[in-house]
């Protein structure tokens, strides 16, 4: 603690981590829920079942609340680049600044521009225009994730340019945008947004069913969420494996830190995987460890005896320092991924046995409670994943090019401490406001007496 309040760079890192980890809670849901709203509206247009119209209106309230929080908490992040990280901005501004500009002008404006029609245009525009607006909101939310992951993945594996006079100059924008880490990172994060949103929607639906509030209505959203999550949960595990192989290929020291792997395995001998361990950074070994032989070689190289570089293969000042945090947050993320997959298999078995009908769904209180308990797990897994991603890149802010210590602004400790304190106070207030309004929406539930929008008769019943 004493070091924290005497080191302005550490304080600046804590401030960015706090604001970024708080901000990320909201776009996760808006990205995933925008796709859910699109599917629900499509079903409503195809079936004309009023329940799906009421679902669209109900879930869009939570979407709007999350969108607002995302906007309010996202703006300070961009200002931090100009206040706490001016040297980083000077080094990478030609590319990094442009990408953030693309995100604002291309993705955010698209999403915000059509949001009003999606929320308030049900009775004012044709069904086709409304559906088009929902598509644009979904596209804008996903484009936003794309550009943010482009910027961050470039910090992990910078490409497409060269350094000249202390600045990164772009030679090839395509190579910079589609740097090696971008495809696996974007796909892994985008699917994480879907998975988190599906378990929020499914968990809230299970909560209503368990309490006997509109069970027939929420059984529909529960089944839609389950069907999608049954495909997404195993896909996310596969994408996580792809992301892991990319780390060993392009950031091997981060891979070694994730597994607390100190010694490079000799040729012909497989690297063991530390299922559990207690890393001892000072002694450059684990105080204790529970290992599975050869498994790390298989995970990293798909070979029983593939060579995996250990932490000792890298200079001490090029290694991440928070190895224990990286090691255990990675395992929490992976554990949640497999728990959610298990919940999918359990739910599938219940469906096969005919237990997901209106008559029998109430006979599965443990299953419903498990879905309710799963609501925060996607958020926790995502935050753990970003912890691994960002701490594993240290001591670099731009991997192999610019160290974090050389990227911060020359600010006094008091200046950073005051702004950090202000952020904590404001974000606690925003959290209270969000919980107040979210609780009101959930307590009130759906309005099943709303007037249905009339269809565009010139296009025919149910036409888009």
């Amino acid at each position: 603690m004493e070091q924290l309040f005497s080191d302005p760079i550490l304080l600046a890192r804590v401030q960015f981590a706090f604001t970024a980890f708080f901000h990320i809670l909201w776009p996760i849901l808006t990205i995933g829920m925008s796709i859910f709203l699109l599917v629900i509206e499509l079903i409503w247009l195809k079936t004309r079942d009023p329940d799906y119209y009421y679902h669209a209106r109900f879930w869009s309230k939570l979407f709007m609340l999350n969108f607002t929080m995302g906007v309010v908490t996202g703006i300070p992040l961009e200002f931090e680049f100009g206040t706490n990280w001016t040297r980083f901005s000077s080094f990478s501004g030609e590319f990094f600044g442009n990408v953030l500009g693309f995100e604002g002008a291309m993705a955010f404006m698209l999403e915000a521009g059509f949001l009003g029609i999606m929320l308030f245009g049900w009775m004012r525009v044709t069904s086709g225009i409304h559906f088009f607006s929902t598509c644009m909101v979904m596209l804008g939310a996903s484009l936003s994730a794309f550009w943010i992951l482009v910027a961050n993945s470039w910090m992990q594996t910078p490409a497409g340019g060269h350094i000249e006079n202390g600045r990164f100059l772009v030679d090839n924008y395509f190579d910079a945008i589609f740097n090696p880490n971008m495809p696996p990172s974007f796909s892994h994060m985008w699917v994480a947004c879907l998975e988190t949103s599906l378990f929020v929607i499914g968990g809230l639906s299970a909560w209503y069913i368990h309490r006997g509030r509109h069970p027939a209505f929420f059984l529909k959203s529960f089944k839609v969420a389950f069907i999608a999550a049954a495909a997404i949960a195993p896909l996310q595990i596969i994408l996580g494996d792809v992301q892991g192989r990319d780390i060993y290929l392009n950031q091997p020291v981060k891979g070694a830190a994730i597994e607390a792997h100190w010694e490079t395995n000799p040729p012909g001998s497989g690297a063991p995987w530390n299922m559990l361990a207690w890393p001892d950074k000072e002694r450059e070994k684990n105080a204790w460890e529970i290992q599975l032989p050869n498994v790390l070689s298989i995970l990293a190289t798909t070979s029983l005896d593939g060579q995996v570089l250990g932490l000792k293969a890298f200079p001490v000042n090029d290694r991440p320092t928070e190895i224990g945090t990286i090691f255990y947050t990675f395992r929490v993320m992976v554990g949640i991924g497999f728990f959610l997959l298990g919940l999918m298999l359990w739910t599938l078995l219940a469906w096969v046995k005919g237990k997901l009908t209106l008559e029998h769904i109430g006979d599965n209180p443990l299953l419903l409670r498990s879905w309710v308990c799963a609501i925060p797990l996607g958020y926790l897994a995502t935050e753990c994943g970003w912890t691994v991603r960002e701490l594993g890149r240290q001591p670099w802010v731009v991997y192999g090019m610019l160290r974090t210590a050389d990227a911060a602004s020359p600010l006094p400790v008091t200046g950073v401490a005051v702004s950090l304190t202000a952020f904590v106070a404001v974000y606690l207030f925003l959290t209270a406001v969000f919980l107040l309004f979210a609780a009101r929406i959930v307590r009130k539930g759906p309005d099943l007496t709303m007037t249905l929008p009339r269809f565009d008769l010139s296009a025919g019943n149910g036409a888009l």
Side-chain angles (χ1 to χ4, degrees):
M1 188 60 73
E2 183 179 347
Q3 182 190 4
L4 175 63
F5 289 102
S6 62
D7 185 346
I9 296 175
L10 182 57
L11 264 180
R13 287 182 60 195
V14 170
Q15 182 178 119
F16 195 87
F18 172 74
T19 51
F21 276 52
F22 187 81
H23 166 68
I24 202 172
L25 294 171
W26 320 109
I28 291 174
L29 196 65
T30 53
I31 292 167
M33 191 174 280
S34 65
I35 298 172
F36 176 78
L37 289 173
L38 182 67
V39 172
I40 287 294
E41 186 170 343
L42 185 60
I43 297 175
W44 147 245
L45 291 172
K46 288 295 183 185
T47 65
R48 299 181 65 185
D49 181 343
D51 278 355
Y52 289 103
Y53 171 72
Y54 297 134
H55 269 298
R57 300 300 298 266
F58 172 69
W59 295 107
S60 63
K61 294 178 184 176
L62 288 173
F63 176 88
M64 183 60 195
L65 187 58
N66 272 270
F67 177 82
T68 305
M69 290 290 291
V71 172
V72 171
T73 59
I75 293 173
L77 283 172
E78 301 207 10
F79 282 107
E80 282 182 59
F81 291 120
T83 54
N84 296 2
W85 302 98
T86 52
R87 292 171 177 168
F88 165 72
S89 298
S90 175
F91 173 81
S92 61
E94 180 174 310
F95 176 72
F96 200 82
N98 284 342
V99 170
L100 293 185
F102 294 155
E103 191 274 335
M106 188 185 301
F108 174 72
M109 292 301 176
L110 180 65
E111 185 180 9
F114 283 94
L115 182 61
I117 301 176
M118 189 188 84
L119 292 175
F120 307 113
W122 288 100
M123 303 297 179
R124 295 178 173 83
V125 299
T126 64
S127 54
I129 293 296
H130 191 277
F131 183 70
F132 178 75
S133 301
T134 306
C135 290
M136 292 301 101
V137 170
M138 184 278 292
L139 179 62
S142 293
L143 268 179
S144 181
F146 172 79
W147 287 117
I148 294 301
L149 264 298
V150 165
N152 187 270
S153 61
W154 177 82
M155 294 166 68
Q156 308 287 335
T157 54
H162 67 280
I163 300 174
E164 187 174 313
N165 297 325
R167 297 178 61 198
F168 181 87
L169 301 181
V170 180
D171 297 322
N172 187 316
Y173 261 95
F174 183 87
D175 290 345
I177 291 172
F178 294 95
N179 62 79
N181 188 248
M182 196 284 286
S185 297
F186 171 67
S187 55
H188 193 43
M189 182 62 198
W190 190 73
V191 172
C193 295
L194 299 187
E195 188 172 18
T196 301
S197 302
L198 290 170
F199 280 96
V200 170
I201 294 165
L204 281 174
S205 300
W207 182 80
Y208 280 110
I209 295 169
H210 185 53
R211 293 175 67 90
R213 292 186 58 185
H214 312 296
F217 178 80
F218 281 107
L219 186 57
K220 292 180 178 177
S221 55
F222 180 80
K223 286 184 175 179
V224 171
F226 163 66
I227 291 170
I232 290 295
L235 174 63
Q236 180 66 330
I237 293 174
I238 294 170
L239 291 174
D241 181 63
V242 173
Q243 170 84 316
R245 293 183 200 284
D246 174 78
I247 289 173
Y248 283 108
L249 182 64
N250 294 301
Q251 296 175 289
V253 65
K254 179 194 286 189
I258 288 172
E259 303 300 351
H261 178 62
W262 295 93
E263 304 284 351
T264 303
N265 55 305
S269 174
W273 178 63
N274 293 319
M275 190 164 55
L276 291 174
W278 192 257
D280 186 337
K281 190 173 61 176
E282 303 303 325
R283 298 168 62 194
E284 296 188 315
K285 59 185 293 188
N286 296 325
W288 56 265
E289 56 202 12
I290 302 174
Q291 295 184 323
L292 295 177
N294 297 79
V295 173
L296 183 55
S297 286
I298 297 172
L299 291 173
T301 68
T302 67
S303 168
L304 268 174
D305 56 0
Q307 190 174 64
V308 182
L309 295 176
L311 283 162
K312 286 185 177 179
F314 303 90
V316 173
N317 61 354
D318 285 348
R319 303 175 194 167
T321 54
E322 295 88 357
I323 296 171
T325 304
I326 295 169
F327 180 85
Y328 278 103
T329 49
F330 177 78
R331 275 147 185 77
V332 170
M333 177 186 67
V334 172
I336 290 173
F338 279 98
F339 172 82
L340 297 180
L341 178 63
L343 184 56
M344 288 304 89
L345 295 175
W346 183 10
T347 310
L348 177 62
L349 184 63
W351 197 331
V352 171
K353 290 182 176 180
K355 302 291 186 182
L356 293 191
T357 61
L358 184 59
E359 294 76 19
H360 298 291
I361 187 70
D363 300 335
N364 298 279
L366 186 57
L367 178 64
L368 294 175
R369 288 195 198 104
S370 298
W371 272 84
V372 175
C373 292
I375 290 175
L377 294 185
Y379 293 103
L380 178 58
T382 305
E383 298 285 24
C384 285
W386 276 94
T387 300
V388 172
R389 184 175 178 82
E390 298 305 292
L391 289 184
R393 193 191 59 228
Q394 300 301 320
W396 306 96
V397 66
V398 180
Y399 191 70
M401 288 188 173
L402 181 67
R403 291 180 183 273
T404 304
D406 300 325
S409 305
L411 294 173
V413 169
T414 51
V416 186
V418 168
S419 56
L420 173 59
T421 305
F423 275 124
V424 171
V426 171
Y427 283 10
L428 286 176
F429 171 74
L430 290 175
T431 302
V433 172
F434 171 82
L435 292 175
L436 175 66
F437 282 97
R440 283 185 181 179
I441 293 172
V442 173
R443 271 201 308 267
K444 186 176 179 181
D447 182 359
L448 304 183
T449 63
M450 299 176 74
T451 303
L452 298 175
R454 66 180 179 84
F455 278 75
D456 184 357
L457 299 178
S458 64
N461 287 341
L464 300 181

